[in-house]
Amino acid sequence: MDLGRHPRIGVWAAAAVLAAVPALAGCSSDSGKNGSGTTTSAGATAVHAVPAALATPTGDGPADPAAARAQVEKNWTTFFDSKVSVEEKVKVLENGELLELLLDGFAGNSDAALSSAKVTDVVFDSATEAQVTYDLLVRGVPVLPGSKGTAVLEDGVWKVSTETLCSLVGLSGNAAPGC
């Protein structure tokens, strides 16, 4: 079926993905964020990090905004790609280890398997945070175009913020532990 001709079906598919979140959230750890908002992600820097010289923040933004933007786009796409393993998604999500069980639940959801994201803009607010505009896609068709989220620099890696994931969960009218 062509979702472009039937936009309501696309919206319902996106809603189905979001509606599955609360059921899956019950399986997640209730640990929430730690006090500092950071965790250590062993191995994450080897796969998704920019070289340390490029990631070193300056007062107004990353030392190399083009490289940082490329990493934000890559890691954002990775996070929303249904073909990517949960282990890889954990590496590109802020505090990902705390939400691994939630991500495991998404991996088994057939509606989530149809979704992806396309980054359309990245604006750095500081050396450690960026505003990301993206389209949430179902079967390649935008169902939530112009969505807003944030990326954060954690352990030298630009990651999808926990706040972004929690905002998507909130669209379902529910909350997940840790959000």
Side-chain angles (χ1 to χ4, degrees):
M1 177 176 290
D2 180 9
L3 292 178
R5 291 185 186 185
H6 304 284
R8 284 189 178 187
I9 293 172
V11 172
W12 282 105
V17 170
L18 296 172
V21 172
L24 303 172
C27 300
S28 124
S29 167
D30 197 17
S31 301
K33 293 183 192 177
N34 65 22
S36 69
T38 61
T39 60
T40 302
S41 300
T45 55
V47 177
H48 299 284
V50 291
L54 299 178
T56 303
T58 65
D60 299 304
D64 184 341
R69 178 188 172 100
Q71 187 184 67
V72 167
E73 290 176 359
K74 178 182 178 189
N75 291 350
W76 204 273
T77 302
T78 296
F79 180 75
F80 285 97
D81 185 344
S82 62
K83 296 175 187 90
V84 172
S85 71
V86 169
E87 293 78 22
E88 290 301 307
K89 290 178 189 248
V90 163
K91 293 176 184 178
V92 297
L93 174 65
E94 177 190 24
N95 299 316
E97 296 83 8
L98 299 176
L99 296 168
E100 187 169 1
L101 291 175
L102 178 64
L103 296 177
D104 279 332
F106 280 125
N109 182 290
S110 61
D111 292 323
L114 302 173
S115 65
S116 61
K118 179 182 177 188
V119 174
T120 59
D121 195 25
V122 178
V123 176
F124 294 97
D125 293 335
S126 71
T128 59
E129 188 170 308
Q131 298 301 313
V132 180
T133 304
Y134 65 102
D135 296 336
L136 185 62
L137 312 169
V138 173
R139 293 186 181 164
V141 176
V143 293
L144 292 175
S147 297
K148 304 286 185 184
T150 54
V152 295
L153 185 63
E154 179 183 67
D155 299 328
V157 179
W158 283 98
K159 299 181 179 185
V160 174
S161 70
T162 302
E163 177 184 346
T164 298
L165 177 61
C166 292
S167 292
L168 287 171
V169 171
L171 290 176
S172 70
N174 296 291
C179 287

